[in-house]
Amino acid sequence: MTKAGLIEAVMKAAGIETKAQSERSVEAVFDTVVKTLSRGEEVAISGFGTFRVVKRAARQGRNPKTGETIQIAASTKPKFRAGKLLKEAVK
């Protein structure tokens, strides 16, 4: 499903009258998740899952082309952990 498909599905499921209203709703949810994660906080949606920020330490890697050892810098990445209901729904 694409973002446009999600907007259409939300419009039908929530009984929203126009695509523009549905798009604003979907965008508001995504923006809120992004802003919350950027502050280092987690977003827990009961039954669906949890979005959180994970810090990865610096480490050594290997260039697969040359075999040369390289240093990979520390980074911060978003991570999603599926909730129980979501896991059961996709079995």
Side-chain angles (χ1 to χ4, degrees), residues 6-18 21-22 25-26:
L6 179 63
I7 290 168
E8 187 78 30
V10 168
M11 185 176 90
K12 290 178 183 174
I16 298 173
E17 294 181 18
T18 66
Q21 290 174 326
S22 180
S25 299
V26 170

Side-chain angles (χ1 to χ4, degrees), residues 8-82:
E8 187 78 30
V10 168
M11 185 176 90
K12 290 178 183 174
I16 298 173
E17 294 181 18
T18 66
K19 261 190 187 176
Q21 290 174 326
S22 180
E23 184 175 4
R24 283 193 299 272
S25 299
V26 170
E27 286 293 333
V29 170
F30 289 154
D31 288 344
T32 303
V33 170
V34 170
K35 286 176 184 173
T36 303
L37 290 175
S38 69
R39 291 192 305 263
E41 300 172 24
E42 71 176 36
V43 178
I45 303 169
S46 182
F48 183 71
T50 304
F51 295 92
R52 60 191 175 118
V53 176
V54 177
K55 293 182 181 178
R56 297 185 70 178
R59 62 196 190 281
Q60 287 191 350
R62 190 167 302 277
N63 181 335
K65 218 176 212 182
T66 64
E68 175 187 359
T69 301
I70 58 173
Q71 185 65 25
I72 301 171
S75 62
T76 305
K77 304 287 183 198
K79 191 169 188 174
F80 176 74
R81 184 175 57 226

